[in-house]
Amino acid sequence: MWGASTSCYQIEGAVDVDGRGKSIWDIFSHTPGLVEGGDSGDVACDHFHRWREDIELVARANFSAYRFSTSWPRILPAGAGAIEPRGLDFYDRLVDGLLARGITPFLCLYHWDLPQALQDDGGWLNRDIAQKFADYAAVVARRLGTRVKLWATFNEPNIHALFGHGVGSHAPGLKGLQNMLAAMHHQNLAHGRAIEALRAESAGLRVGTIVSLQPARPSSASDLDRNATVRFDAMWNGACLDPLLQGTYPAPVAADFAPLIADGDLAAIHRPLDFLGVNYYAPMYVADAPGSLFGAWFGAVPPGTPFTAMGWPVDAGGLAEELMSLSERYGRPEIYVTENGACYDDTVAADGVVHDGERLAFIRDHLAAARRAVAAGVRLRGYFVWSLLDNFEWASGYSRRFGIVRVDFADQRRTPKASYQWLAQFIKQQKPAP
Ligand code: FCB
């Protein structure tokens, strides 16, 4: 399966249309000083109105699948209770449009845009949210479950917990270790309850989750940095996968999570999954960091390492390494690479083309790494590039471009980049002969 990924708040815009409620990202982005350039997702790529053109771009790149997320506050403006039928209608149109073009929809229920009404009630710090999330999942599955077969509960609950609830650089802007741990555990619990709700709606759905997974490597050979790496790996990678797939928190952080775990939680979280979605961007170099959130943080990167415009190290080998270690650790689950891609400072040449050679090379090299993992026995079922369009890149606003299609935010013009053309050709060559 070859696809492109997007998320609702990053592309839809139309934040006041058809009864949509406010999300935590509306509030965060409208708080002065929190997002670069004072940007917000108010308009974004205006995908809410231009989705036909956008899925045409998906089709023309020869993608067989498209990953998107549904906006909880568009569907349940207050987070729970009254359903907004016009919100569901939007995703209904989108799904029908995809299916009509032979594109498989891959739906993610939560890409960080919590209804503000639930935030006012404690958000992910309040364990009652788990049931509300399961109820929302059931509402969406009831409407789309006969046509959408691939369902992910969360996108990167680890990043949402860490940056939204620990560091405070993402919505809802909370800080501190205890907030981060609670947000992580309650998302895990919500995941388990939603899996149950989705299966109760329809036995035929294929359900899983999407996690940001990157190999953690020590910044130096010192014991301090090695120990920090073990803890960092357990917080970032292990805390959101071990409970789901093994029913326990990883040993290095188990004591941190223990006070949050009520009777029955781990059993509720540990549900059989049909697939695992992996978002991979870069390896992480970790250093001992006393006084930081949990004693370990990003450290020095080996000299000579190339970087993207996000400042993330480029290392395609890290993808193969991650896929192989996951496969071994969790008993060879089916895996999709649900995000992989790169941000570079694109320029439009005189001929109107974006010659994004660095992005193209990044994607090409990561596809080769994925192929090595497949050859080594990883059950990789698909690859999704991040992202179809340049979009609202969270705290960086529109200053960072990840799209294989350029978006001119002044007039919403879409221009496929060289990486898009290359991928379209590449995918065509992969298709089995008729
Ligand atoms: C991931 C997010 C996605 C996008 C990429 C660059 O962490 O899931 O929304 O911001 O990073």
Side-chain angles (χ1 to χ4, degrees):
M1 189 174 277
W2 302 95
S5 281
T6 61
S7 92
C8 55
Y9 188 73
Q10 293 179 276
I11 64 167
E12 284 181 2
V15 291
D16 291 323
V17 173
D18 285 354
R20 176 185 176 278
K22 290 265 177 267
S23 85
I24 54 175
W25 269 98
D26 295 305
I27 305 304
F28 188 86
S29 63
H30 281 274
T31 308
L34 298 183
V35 173
E36 221 175 304
D39 293 342
S40 77
D42 287 4
V43 179
C45 307
D46 195 29
H47 168 78
F48 185 85
H49 297 111
R50 294 168 196 265
W51 61 271
R52 286 182 189 80
E53 182 184 351
D54 293 340
I55 63 177
E56 206 47 55
L57 286 164
V58 174
R60 272 193 268 129
N62 298 320
F63 288 124
S64 52
Y66 174 67
R67 177 190 152 212
F68 63 100
S69 73
T70 48
S71 159
W72 188 346
R74 216 180 260 300
I75 294 171
L76 292 159
I83 299 170
E84 173 49 80
R86 293 171 296 176
L88 282 170
D89 290 346
F90 171 66
Y91 298 107
D92 207 271
R93 294 193 288 278
L94 178 68
V95 164
D96 281 348
L98 291 166
L99 292 173
R101 284 166 182 76
I103 300 164
T104 301
F106 187 142
L107 187 155
C108 174
L109 286 162
Y110 186 75
H111 202 124
W112 305 350
D113 58 333
L114 188 74
Q116 180 61 34
L118 295 183
Q119 187 61 41
D120 295 340
D121 211 17
W124 293 108
L125 306 187
N126 178 349
R127 56 182 286 126
D128 295 347
I129 198 171
Q131 192 51 48
K132 297 202 168 95
F133 182 70
D135 294 344
Y136 156 61
V139 166
V140 186
R142 206 162 299 149
R143 182 69 178 266
L144 300 175
T146 53
R147 285 163 290 155
V148 178
K149 296 298 170 207
L150 278 168
W151 293 71
T153 51
F154 281 83
N155 175 74
E156 301 188 351
N158 48 346
I159 303 302
H160 194 40
L162 178 57
F163 291 103
H165 300 76
V167 174
S169 54
H170 282 184
L174 299 180
K175 294 188 170 92
L177 179 63
Q178 293 313 317
N179 289 336
M180 178 192 123
L181 296 169
M184 189 69 246
H185 182 65
H186 297 146
Q187 286 180 96
N188 285 342
L189 190 59
H191 160 87
R193 298 228 187 281
I195 291 290
E196 209 174 324
L198 289 169
R199 291 209 199 282
E201 277 308 318
S202 166
L205 308 182
R206 293 181 51 69
V207 297
T209 189
I210 295 169
V211 173
S212 161
L213 295 169
Q214 347 264 357
R217 302 172 181 166
S219 241
S220 81
S222 77
D223 283 350
L224 281 176
D225 286 352
R226 282 179 199 279
N227 291 338
T229 303
V230 170
R231 186 159 166 78
F232 196 92
D233 182 49
M235 278 293 185
W236 183 297
N237 295 315
C240 61
L241 272 191
D242 286 10
L244 275 57
L245 301 173
Q246 299 179 333
T248 53
Y249 278 94
V253 297
D256 299 278
F257 283 98
L260 290 158
I261 304 173
D263 273 358
D265 278 9
L266 290 170
I269 293 169
H270 186 199
R271 296 267 166 231
L273 298 182
D274 297 311
F275 68 86
L276 189 59
V278 176
N279 293 353
Y280 173 83
Y281 289 93
M284 308 184 287
Y285 291 91
V286 181
D288 181 51
S292 67
L293 200 57
F294 45 83
W297 201 241
F298 292 93
V301 169
T305 307
F307 293 97
T308 67
M310 290 300 275
W312 298 347
V314 177
D315 182 353
L319 175 60
E321 177 186 334
E322 186 59 49
L323 293 173
M324 291 193 254
S325 76
L326 278 174
S327 192
E328 196 174 311
R329 184 174 168 95
Y330 299 113
R332 298 191 66 234
E334 287 198 21
I335 299 177
Y336 293 88
V337 171
T338 33
E339 283 182 28
N340 176 243
C343 167
Y344 287 105
D345 295 326
D346 296 328
T347 50
V348 186
D351 58 1
V353 177
V354 180
H355 298 281
D356 59 340
E358 289 169 300
R359 182 177 294 105
L360 190 160
F362 183 101
I363 295 169
R364 183 197 59 210
D365 294 350
H366 285 72
L367 284 169
R371 208 179 276 302
R372 290 201 295 280
V374 172
V378 173
R379 297 166 73 211
L380 185 62
R381 297 292 183 247
Y383 172 94
F384 289 71
V385 69
W386 182 272
S387 183
L388 179 67
L389 305 169
D390 291 337
N391 59 45
F392 175 78
E393 177 48 36
W394 308 117
S396 306
Y398 298 99
S399 71
R400 298 281 186 274
R401 294 177 180 269
F402 275 89
I404 54 168
V405 173
R406 180 177 177 87
V407 177
D408 187 330
F409 292 102
D411 61 8
Q412 292 294 344
R413 199 153 40 95
R414 274 85 161 131
T415 312
K417 303 179 190 176
S419 55
Y420 172 101
Q421 311 292 4
W422 181 85
L423 256 171
Q425 279 308 311
F426 176 87
I427 295 167
K428 201 161 158 195
Q429 287 157 12
Q430 311 307 312
K431 284 198 175 145

